[in-house]
Amino acid sequence: MIEKRQFYINGEWVAPLAPRDHDVIDPSTEEACAIISLGTSADVDVAVKAAKDALPAWRATPPAERIAYVERLLEVYKARQQEMAEAISLEMGAPIDLAFAAQAGAGISHITNCLTAAKSFEWLHPLGDGTPGAMIGYQPIGVVGLITPWNWPMNQVTLKVAPALVAGCTMVLKPSEEAPLSSMLFAEFVHEAGIPAGVFNLVNGDGMGVGTALSGHVDIEMISFTGSTRAGRAISKNAAETLKRVALELGGKGANLVFADADDKAVERGVKHMFNNSGQSCNAPSRMLVERAIYPQALEIAKKVAEETKVGNPREHGKHIGPVINKSQYDKIQGLIEKGIAEGATLLAGGPGLPEGVNRGYYVRPTVFADCTPDMSIMNEEIFGPVLSIMPFDTEEEAVKVANDTEYGLTNYAQTQDPERLRRMAMQLQAGMIELNGQSRGAGSPFGGIKASGRAREGGRWGIEEFCDVIAISGYAAE
């Protein structure tokens, strides 16, 4: 049993003021794998004070020096990537190969992209309208609260911490209590990199306790939150009293439009993308809309891919999916699978219950529904599990209408070989990110959505800007 009962505050590991133990559950065994302590508002006060005290010196540190600290953090992270992968695999059930390459690897990519953006970031530049002395400056917003989820822990921690450090902010991180071990290991990386005391602080806790204390704290200037839309609304309301900036990256219900002229791998690619990370991705293409001319073939491919998708132990090497995070999530997924059947969708593969040969762990059968209609629950609710819903369409206009008819707007996808149609899809699909023909976002592109998916823009130059106040300067004396 791993014991991690301390918080990282002001450059030291310290005991919480009023310890309350919390079991971290290994979702592959349903048994506790670690014990942490959950904090209180008093612990938040101590951490925020440390961040506030460290702010003047850190914001006065030249950007080049702040960048150098983040470069050292990246070196430590790379050297300890295997440790990070093992922590993620244990706490949230990601298969170890996925945990190393994609989960832990995402942290390396995001820090690298942040550094690339930082080295060309203009902290002070002319407005550019021909007005002499008119300048635009960027100043750190101040002390920031960072609240991160369990499904891609390092993806979200690094998307927030690296740009906040570069921008000159100090911070308090609250990782998910479901998967805190990776963030506590990350705190070790921060310490090893020599980042000054108080700049980065970590307090474990739940949303109602530490999360609420952070989002309402008078000395925190900004909350950056990734998680559910429900929690995002609650955080926004709590933060309103102190008029702090709130950056939200929330849920999604991505549509994947597959036209008759799509490439041969389009359907297979979409199904595999949906099942990746056991379907626990906010940008998963969970609604596949297929042009009727190729609908029968698409169903055959989807069924085959689902049946060939292995479910297995996250500590074993190989291409398989692991469990979902906890019993609550497992039960929610099972309920929506049952609802899909009850509402008349055709169960093409998978279904309710544990996979064959499995008697413990929160494992879900890779499931595909066909003949779905836009009004079905499985076409509207974010399932957050390996469940794909497929429906046919007859016209491009119909497909776009169905794709956009959702409260969410994180990522939409389109597969076609028609260049004109690709251009139309890029501008007609309503989401913060549009991925065409299987092409991932470019390095340094912003990650974020619209509508109920939140409107944060994380990554690259946009990620740094989110942690800055933009200052309009007049009468500046040029050198």
Side-chain angles (χ1 to χ4, degrees):
M1 179 75 69
I2 299 170
E3 295 190 11
K4 294 279 189 179
R5 289 185 167 95
Q6 294 181 309
F7 303 153
Y8 185 76
I9 298 176
N10 205 27
E12 298 179 329
W13 291 99
V14 300
L17 296 174
R20 181 162 59 99
D21 284 351
H22 170 78
D23 288 342
V24 179
I25 304 300
D26 176 352
S28 69
T29 65
E30 305 182 37
E31 297 176 355
C33 62
I35 300 174
I36 65 168
S37 287
L38 300 182
T40 65
S41 60
D43 296 297
V44 171
D45 287 342
V46 174
V48 171
K49 184 180 185 305
K52 186 176 180 181
D53 290 347
L55 180 62
W58 184 245
R59 72 181 296 158
T61 301
E65 292 184 26
R66 299 198 296 257
I67 289 170
Y69 278 111
V70 177
E71 287 177 326
R72 286 197 288 275
L73 175 61
L74 178 60
E75 291 172 4
V76 175
Y77 193 121
K78 286 180 176 179
R80 302 180 66 178
Q81 183 178 355
Q82 182 62 35
E83 292 177 68
M84 181 59 74
E86 291 169 0
I88 294 172
S89 180
L90 178 65
E91 68 188 1
M92 56 82 59
I96 189 62
D97 291 348
L98 176 78
F100 182 85
Q103 288 273 6
I108 292 173
S109 296
H110 291 316
I111 298 173
T112 300
N113 292 336
C114 178
L115 287 168
T116 299
K119 289 172 183 177
S120 61
F121 195 90
E122 293 185 275
W123 302 95
L124 180 68
H125 63 82
L127 176 60
D129 68 346
T131 305
M135 305 290 287
I136 298 295
Y138 293 88
Q139 296 179 1
I141 196 168
V143 178
V144 298
L146 313 176
I147 304 176
T148 56
W150 50 261
N151 61 320
W152 286 91
M154 280 303 104
N155 183 78
Q156 294 303 327
V157 167
T158 55
L159 271 176
K160 299 180 192 302
V161 172
L165 289 172
V166 165
C169 296
T170 57
M171 66 210 71
V172 180
L173 168 67
K174 187 206 87 66
S176 169
E177 68 274 23
E178 300 284 351
L181 304 180
S182 54
S183 290
M184 298 185 80
L185 183 61
F186 182 82
E188 292 184 18
F189 297 177
V190 169
H191 190 82
E192 188 175 337
I195 291 172
V199 171
F200 171 90
N201 306 275
L202 180 149
V203 176
N204 281 316
D206 56 21
M208 290 299 294
V210 171
T212 299
L214 281 172
S215 59
H217 203 288
V218 67
D219 288 329
I220 287 182
E221 299 291 341
M222 172 184 174
I223 287 288
S224 178
F225 170 78
T226 300
S228 70
T229 298
R230 175 196 55 77
R233 290 190 175 105
I235 284 171
S236 295
K237 291 176 182 177
N238 194 43
E241 187 67 28
T242 51
L243 300 177
K244 56 173 55 66
R245 181 182 297 174
V246 179
L248 302 175
E249 199 280 280
L250 308 175
K253 192 66 179 175
N256 184 7
L257 280 58
V258 183
F259 291 90
D261 64 347
D263 66 89
D264 292 342
K265 296 293 184 181
V267 173
E268 177 185 351
R269 183 171 63 241
V271 179
K272 288 181 175 179
H273 190 171
M274 179 60 237
F275 292 159
N276 186 47
N277 203 43
S278 300
Q280 299 172 120
S281 301
C282 51
N283 62 342
S286 54
R287 295 179 294 151
M288 182 178 285
L289 314 182
V290 182
E291 192 166 3
R292 197 174 297 277
I294 60 167
Y295 186 65
Q297 302 96 296
L299 297 187
E300 290 180 12
I301 294 169
K303 183 175 188 293
K304 182 173 185 291
V305 172
E307 291 174 344
E308 292 177 350
T309 300
K310 297 179 181 179
V311 180
N313 190 323
R315 253 65 79 198
E316 293 179 359
H317 295 282
K319 293 185 177 180
H320 56 275
I321 66 173
V324 297
I325 185 67
N326 56 29
K327 187 177 189 305
S328 175
Q329 188 63 23
Y330 176 84
D331 289 345
K332 175 190 173 185
I333 296 166
Q334 295 299 313
L336 282 164
I337 291 174
E338 295 282 7
K339 190 173 285 188
I341 295 170
E343 291 181 357
T346 300
L347 183 62
L348 203 62
L354 290 168
E356 186 177 350
V358 175
N359 58 18
R360 68 171 183 170
Y362 306 120
Y363 293 95
V364 175
R365 300 171 67 191
T367 297
V368 176
F369 283 104
D371 308 327
C372 298
T373 55
D375 60 321
M376 290 180 177
S377 299
I378 56 174
M379 288 286 284
N380 289 282
E381 296 187 36
E382 186 181 33
I383 301 173
F384 230 59
V387 180
L388 174 64
S389 305
I390 308 178
M391 67 164 282
F393 68 84
D394 293 300
T395 67
E396 178 181 316
E397 292 73 22
E398 176 193 0
V400 170
K401 181 180 178 181
V402 171
N404 291 339
D405 187 20
T406 172
E407 67 172 332
Y408 296 107
L410 190 59
T411 312
N412 282 327
Y413 305 78
Q415 324 296 323
T416 175
Q417 299 303 300
D418 183 339
E420 288 298 321
R421 179 181 283 145
L422 280 178
R423 283 189 277 271
R424 290 195 297 272
M425 293 301 99
M427 298 307 294
Q428 290 179 13
L429 293 174
Q430 295 171 8
M433 298 172 286
I434 310 295
E435 296 189 12
L436 306 172
N437 289 338
Q439 294 298 309
S440 298
R441 291 175 303 112
S445 293
F447 188 102
I450 61 174
K451 301 191 287 188
S453 294
R455 282 185 161 81
R457 291 296 180 269
E458 297 184 314
R461 174 174 62 83
W462 295 269
I464 297 172
E465 287 182 349
E466 279 219 314
F467 290 98
C468 293
D469 284 323
V470 179
I471 310 300
I473 303 165
S474 60
Y476 184 81
E479 294 181 2

